[in-house]
Amino acid sequence: MLALGSLCASAETATYQFDIPEQTADRSLTLLAQQAKVPLLFSFDEVRDVTTNAVVGEYTLEAALTQLLAGTDLEGEVNSHGVLTVARRPEEALVEGELRMPGENENMPTVKRRGLASVLLAMFSVGAGAQEVADADEKESVLEEIVVTGTNIRGVNNPTSPLLQFDREDIDLAGVGTVQDFVRTIPQNFNSTTPVSFNSDNPFDGAVNQSAGTVIDLRGLGSGATLTLLNGRRLAFSGSSSVFDVSSIPLSVVDRIDVLTDGASAIYGSDAIAGVVNLVTRRDFAGLETRARYGTVTAGNMDETELGTTGGMRWGSGGGFITLQYTDIEPLFAADRDYADLSTAFAGGTLIPKQEAFNAFASFDHDFTNRLAVIADLMYTDRDVEFVENDFLAGRTGVINSETAFFTTRLDYRLTERITASVFVDYGKEETESRDSDDSFLDTFVNDNELLVVEGQLSGAIADLPGGSVAASLGGLYREEEFRRPDSATFGSGVKRDVAAIYGEVLIPLIGEGQSVPYAQELTFSAAGRYEDYSDFGDTFNPKLGLFWRISEDIALRGSYSESFRAPSLTNTAGRQQFAFLAFPDPEFDPSQQDPRAPDGSTFFLISAGGGNPNLTPEEATSWTGGVEFTPRALTGLRMNSGFFDVSYTNRIDSLPGLIPLTVADFFSLVDRNPDPGRLDEIFDLIASGDEGAVRYVNASSLESPGPDDVQAIVNAGTQNLSSFSVRGLDLALGYDFQIEKNAFNTAINASYILDYKIQISDTAQPFDAVNQVYRPADMNLRGSFSWSRGGVTLFAAVNYVDSYIDNQVGNNNVQIDDWATVDLTFAYDSESRYGASQTGDIRFSLSVQNLFDEAPPFVATTDGLNFDTANANPLGRFASFQITKTW
């Protein structure tokens, strides 16, 4: 059951625009409640085997409900609390008892139940004038609320921020089997860090992708600039960088993927610079479901096999389920693609590595009393990756094992009718082990991350205004992060940081629908702020402001301003410092060269060459977004959401090859030719200590034992707050749903266009535009789709498009790279939608083909010999898959 929107006092006479196709009752009732903006209560088992009628046009809620349920054995009404309740007619229901809504009195209709599999769970949005249903004697139960991305206020939707949502149907029709494959289809995501880029010369993947996994990178601002959440909770990082590998989350448990394309550090803290991707899992599952999928390329030997099962049950006060999934992906080799230059790339090198994963996910919820409830999730993933190097160590076979465990629990206690107190406890652990397959060439390499979060929060409606209820949240948390590398002198015993945070948020309805204000049906203001104190680099405060203005039923405007940050990784701040001493040029080796900035033509330099830097500060960003929502009444089913974004991202942490600041004018500011004697003494004292865990030192000069007095300049080439990005662009989400007799059609476009992508690599360097370059984002990414459905049959087609760009690599003379368009096709059949559930349960199957016409990636002369841009294309080729799902 779902409850969406606000209660409407004039529900009996108000009319609404409805656009509901013929489909199963659970889906049509949900649409009815959404479009009429009323809470909804029904038993899933009561309605799942009923097919309802189409309702298209302007109706009162009562008239729409009558038409929707005509000819069925269901009946519904809006009770005295404004809640739409639907159930079977009493004479046809299989009564095993009666359940009332929490707080229900004798004047409210009862809802029949059929066995323990039925659960009555109400979820309420605190919208304009809305409040949770409860009777006066406060016998209300703790009600689970819808997971909302982009706000800490329970049960509300913040309309001021841009949010893309992809539901289970979107995921299934995409014809993919993993989370990483689905996020690849989202135009706002730049695929800079994937298993394909892991084994290429992509310079922007590098050490970030130590698990050969997939990291979400919104706007191409870097893998660490997007925060990935599971049900709104932070997870442990992967490898030695502050990123999360989404390969560890099984797609079969994902019910919805939310993409917030706005800075959100005021809501979630570190890393939410480009935005947030929240993977929302399914809830309230009862019964048994099995799932099998097999797919293969039409050229080469790569194939995928996935097997999964989910079992769960519900009882009157809660329920739980568990999902198990096994995935096996056989490799795709460079020799399988004729565009790969096998004289450069190793023929046996993998374009897509062999991958094998076992995933387990469990969820549990229970109401202990009418006020106290708990919900808990547990996830475990064991993933193995085997790859063959294409370059550098060509032919070497490597094995990577990643184990991810995550547990979260939330305890809710309803303090009053409208205020809920919550306590969260999260624990995450990730271990990545890399080794040579025969244990002969490279030593084992282990990274171990651990996360603990304890958080308390108050949330709910705090006041009433003429425009509606003021909703707010206030909370605080304590977080521990730890990184270990057992065989390292620096990280063997682990490095930790503690984070303390307090935050607040408020959503104020300045004008509501019932106030009859001209050109302002709704005006909502939001404000949020978050203060965080880190044990290793200091504190930071980040605000966010937003405004939503609904001018009419047809059109609305939104805008937001936010400040965000990204904390340095523990390896950035705590890694051992690295120094090198050398002369440039060294007169003993090459007397013909001179340092033009040195009086005697040569300078002895001490180079800070990388490693940890305890003086790092957070990366920072300011973001502006704005948008227009257009849903014309004259053309029911049409919806458009367009917007702009502007992100200024500064203090980015980076490092440079040591000699670049000496030879490139843009980096001359990194050379200190009058070093502080006190700093030099500290550095050489550290070097003299011989502490391998703290410092690494190399003397590359002709002097035997240089000291502080020999240093004429310091080159700051180590890890530091160095570069900045400035990215501006436009988004467009356009959709049109319509119906012709019993045929339902849907068209949609999701597009992202980058206007500017400017990078400044140092304070003295000139900014340059990096859009439309190899391994950088192309300016235009688009996915358009069309679907036709009738009964249980659906035909879906999608076009993916990446615009042309320029090959600016050294020696390639700005060659034009072609645009790339591929077509995906899915045929799906659902016996439940066509016939209703039977005694044998529901069977759903789909046949999908990705890249139907087998379009090869555009040619790019890469140094690794793969000859395509691994960030803007993939080598999969035509890939056909078949999936069958059976519920029992």
Side-chain angles (χ1 to χ4, degrees):
M1 289 172 297
L2 300 173
L4 300 169
S6 60
L7 304 180
C8 181
S10 58
E12 294 183 359
T13 59
T15 60
Y16 308 91
Q17 283 290 334
F18 293 99
D19 183 16
I20 305 171
E22 178 184 341
Q23 57 188 334
T24 56
D26 59 304
R27 298 173 183 173
S28 62
L29 287 170
T30 300
L31 284 176
L32 182 79
Q34 290 174 334
Q35 294 171 13
K37 301 180 180 179
V38 296
L40 172 66
L41 179 65
F42 65 85
S43 166
F44 183 74
D45 282 358
E46 294 280 354
V47 306
R48 64 173 297 175
D49 59 346
V50 177
T51 299
T52 54
N53 306 302
V55 180
V56 179
E58 186 170 340
Y59 298 90
T60 65
L61 176 58
E62 181 181 359
L65 185 63
T66 300
Q67 179 171 326
L68 187 78
L69 301 181
T72 73
D73 59 356
L74 299 177
E75 62 180 4
E77 66 174 347
V78 178
N79 64 31
S80 60
H81 291 271
V83 179
L84 172 60
T85 63
V86 178
R88 287 189 187 273
R89 293 190 180 93
E91 65 270 15
E92 296 182 31
L94 302 178
V95 180
E96 295 179 9
E98 293 183 352
L99 293 178
R100 294 182 183 270
M101 284 187 59
E104 192 172 69
N105 59 46
E106 64 276 4
N107 296 319
M108 296 175 62
T110 59
V111 179
K112 309 301 180 182
R113 75 176 179 190
R114 298 167 60 201
L116 289 176
S118 298
V119 61
L120 299 181
L121 184 65
M123 303 176 178
F124 291 92
S125 291
V126 188
Q131 68 182 48
E132 296 155 351
V133 176
D135 77 8
D137 61 3
E138 295 190 342
K139 292 182 180 179
E140 72 276 10
S141 173
V142 179
L143 304 180
E144 176 59 26
E145 293 162 340
I146 300 167
V147 175
V148 180
T149 302
T151 178
N152 281 315
I153 304 174
R154 299 278 298 279
V156 307
N157 176 41
N158 186 342
T160 67
S161 292
L163 181 67
L164 296 168
Q165 291 189 316
F166 304 92
D167 61 20
R168 188 69 229 183
E169 184 177 7
D170 297 323
I171 296 170
D172 287 339
L173 291 177
V176 298
T178 61
V179 171
Q180 56 268 33
D181 286 338
F182 184 80
V183 297
R184 182 170 48 84
T185 69
I186 301 175
Q188 289 75 16
N189 177 48
F190 179 52
N191 297 287
S192 61
T193 304
T194 68
V196 177
S197 63
F198 166 79
N199 204 12
S200 75
D201 279 352
N202 181 339
F204 308 113
D205 187 336
V208 170
N209 195 9
Q210 294 178 348
S211 62
T214 299
V215 180
I216 300 174
D217 181 4
L218 295 177
R219 311 296 189 199
L221 287 173
S223 299
T226 299
L227 178 62
T228 301
L229 304 172
L230 182 67
N231 292 326
R233 307 307 297 171
R234 183 181 292 264
L235 300 112
F237 293 131
S238 305
S240 61
S241 301
S242 299
V243 297
F244 175 74
D245 177 11
V246 298
S247 304
S248 61
I249 298 178
L251 184 64
S252 57
V253 304
V254 177
D255 186 62
R256 191 180 83 231
I257 297 178
D258 292 349
V259 181
L260 181 73
T261 54
D262 191 7
S265 287
I267 309 298
Y268 297 109
S270 177
D271 308 327
I273 283 179
V276 175
V277 175
N278 187 19
L279 303 165
V280 181
T281 62
R282 62 201 306 183
R283 297 290 187 197
D284 309 327
F285 182 86
L288 179 65
E289 177 186 274
T290 55
R291 175 175 177 264
R293 179 178 183 270
Y294 176 78
T296 183
V297 294
T298 58
N301 296 314
M302 177 197 169
D303 60 18
E304 295 183 7
T305 303
E306 293 168 25
L307 301 171
T309 185
T310 299
M313 65 180 298
R314 305 298 301 174
W315 51 89
S317 56
F321 73 90
I322 184 169
T323 294
L324 304 176
Q325 178 176 308
Y326 171 78
T327 304
D328 179 72
I329 302 176
E330 293 301 312
L332 180 70
F333 294 99
D336 293 329
R337 295 293 175 257
D338 55 12
Y339 45 80
D341 181 2
L342 301 184
S343 66
T344 303
F346 181 64
T350 48
L351 298 179
I352 299 176
K354 176 179 173 56
Q355 302 168 67
E356 188 175 21
F358 171 76
N359 304 96
F361 183 89
S363 182
F364 167 83
D365 64 272
H366 187 75
D367 290 350
F368 293 106
T369 70
N370 288 337
R371 290 180 175 272
L372 183 66
V374 66
I375 186 169
D377 294 330
L378 175 65
M379 182 182 73
Y380 173 79
T381 297
D382 188 336
R383 178 171 173 265
D384 290 311
V385 178
E386 185 174 323
F387 64 94
V388 181
E389 288 277 8
N390 275 305
D391 59 350
F392 182 53
L393 299 173
R396 179 182 72 91
T397 300
V399 176
I400 301 171
N401 173 258
S402 299
E403 285 190 77
T404 303
F406 177 70
F407 171 76
T408 179
T409 185
R410 186 181 86 207
L411 193 67
D412 291 338
Y413 184 75
R414 179 158 295 164
L415 297 174
T416 70
E417 180 180 323
R418 309 177 74 180
I419 302 294
T420 299
S422 301
V423 175
F424 303 81
V425 178
D426 307 327
Y427 175 77
K429 183 176 176 60
E430 194 272 352
E431 182 178 279
T432 300
E433 178 182 338
S434 305
R435 66 182 187 278
D436 209 31
S437 60
D438 58 6
D439 297 321
S440 61
F441 190 85
L442 294 179
D443 293 333
T444 298
F445 192 76
V446 177
N447 291 311
D448 191 356
N449 287 275
E450 202 164 352
L451 172 76
L452 175 65
V453 179
V454 179
E455 180 175 358
Q457 183 184 103
L458 295 173
S459 179
I462 59 173
D464 291 319
L465 298 177
S469 297
V470 178
S473 70
L474 179 66
L477 66 79
Y478 172 79
R479 184 170 79 242
E480 285 186 358
E481 300 173 4
E482 183 172 5
F483 174 78
R484 290 184 295 273
R485 188 175 291 158
D487 296 329
S488 166
T490 304
F491 302 113
S493 59
V495 290
K496 294 183 180 181
R497 71 160 49 121
D498 302 331
V499 184
I502 56 173
Y503 58 84
E505 183 181 359
V506 63
L507 195 67
I508 305 174
L510 302 175
I511 299 175
E513 291 185 5
Q515 292 182 272
S516 300
V517 178
Y519 305 109
Q521 284 194 352
E522 180 183 348
L523 186 64
T524 301
F525 171 74
S526 69
R530 189 182 186 100
Y531 172 81
E532 295 203 347
D533 184 24
Y534 283 70
S535 60
D536 55 348
F537 67 80
D539 56 6
T540 177
F541 175 77
N542 294 272
K544 183 172 184 176
L545 303 174
L547 189 68
F548 179 78
W549 174 23
R550 177 165 294 284
I551 301 172
S552 67
E553 292 185 17
D554 294 345
I555 193 165
L557 305 177
R558 59 169 173 78
S560 69
Y561 168 80
S562 61
E563 297 179 9
S564 303
F565 77 103
R566 176 177 181 256
S569 69
L570 288 170
T571 53
N572 286 153
T573 58
R576 64 179 178 176
Q577 300 179 65
Q578 302 180 38
F579 297 96
F581 182 81
L582 74 161
F584 179 79
D586 193 326
E588 182 173 329
F589 298 113
D590 191 355
S592 64
Q593 291 190 13
Q594 288 190 343
D595 177 0
R597 302 177 68 204
D600 58 358
S602 179
T603 306
F604 282 104
F605 292 94
L606 182 66
I607 298 179
S608 172
N613 180 356
N615 298 314
L616 291 174
T617 60
E619 300 175 342
E620 299 175 341
T622 57
S623 301
W624 294 89
T625 71
V628 179
E629 297 178 8
F630 183 55
T631 53
R633 287 173 293 173
L635 190 56
T636 302
L638 177 65
R639 60 198 181 279
M640 184 192 75
N641 196 327
S642 62
F644 77 88
F645 57 91
D646 186 329
V647 183
S648 177
Y649 186 9
T650 60
N651 286 340
R652 279 176 52 89
I653 297 170
D654 212 339
S655 59
L656 296 168
L659 294 180
I660 284 183
L662 304 177
T663 57
V664 180
D666 286 343
F667 297 102
F668 282 171
S669 63
L670 301 179
V671 180
D672 181 4
R673 292 185 177 266
N674 295 291
D676 176 39
R679 184 188 176 197
L680 290 174
D681 288 338
E682 290 178 1
I683 292 173
F684 277 92
D685 287 344
L686 182 62
I687 293 171
S689 70
D691 185 351
E692 294 184 359
V695 66
R696 181 175 182 265
Y697 171 69
V698 175
N699 178 16
S701 73
S702 57
L703 300 181
E704 290 187 6
S705 300
D709 294 338
D710 299 309
V711 178
Q712 298 172 305
I714 294 179
V715 179
N716 297 305
T719 305
Q720 58 194 295
N721 297 101
L722 185 62
S723 61
S724 63
F725 282 20
S726 178
V727 180
R728 296 187 306 120
L730 305 171
D731 286 329
L732 173 66
L734 182 65
Y736 181 46
D737 301 327
F738 60 97
Q739 186 161 338
I740 301 176
E741 294 182 346
K742 294 185 177 181
N743 302 283
F745 299 90
N746 170 270
T747 60
I749 294 174
N750 181 16
S752 180
Y753 185 80
I754 297 177
L755 298 170
D756 293 308
Y757 185 90
K758 293 183 179 179
I759 300 177
Q760 186 176 11
I761 52 181
S762 74
D763 291 339
T764 56
Q766 291 297 314
F768 65 92
D769 201 345
V771 70
N772 288 334
Q773 297 182 6
V774 177
Y775 302 123
R776 296 287 195 183
D779 57 4
M780 168 69 81
N781 276 265
L782 178 149
R783 181 173 171 89
S785 64
F786 174 83
S787 70
W788 163 79
S789 298
R790 179 166 181 158
V793 178
T794 299
L795 186 64
F796 172 86
V799 176
N800 309 285
Y801 177 79
V802 179
D803 205 2
S804 60
Y805 54 105
I806 298 297
D807 185 352
N808 68 323
Q809 297 176 101
V810 176
N812 288 350
N813 299 319
N814 293 333
V815 175
Q816 181 83 11
I817 300 171
D818 293 337
D819 55 13
W820 192 44
T822 62
V823 176
D824 302 336
L825 190 66
T826 295
F827 170 80
Y829 175 81
D830 188 336
S831 68
E832 178 188 9
S833 296
R834 189 169 181 83
Y835 298 113
S838 65
Q839 295 298 318
T840 58
D842 175 32
I843 297 177
R844 302 184 298 277
F845 67 80
S846 62
L847 177 64
S848 300
V849 182
Q850 298 174 57
N851 195 352
L852 178 65
F853 301 109
D854 201 18
E855 291 289 333
F859 178 83
V860 181
T862 57
T863 58
D864 52 27
L866 301 182
N867 290 337
F868 73 97
D869 181 348
T870 57
N872 286 293
N874 72 78
L876 190 64
R878 184 188 296 114
F879 184 87
S881 62
F882 177 79
Q883 178 175 306
I884 184 168
T885 304
K886 173 85 166 106
T887 56
W888 307 87

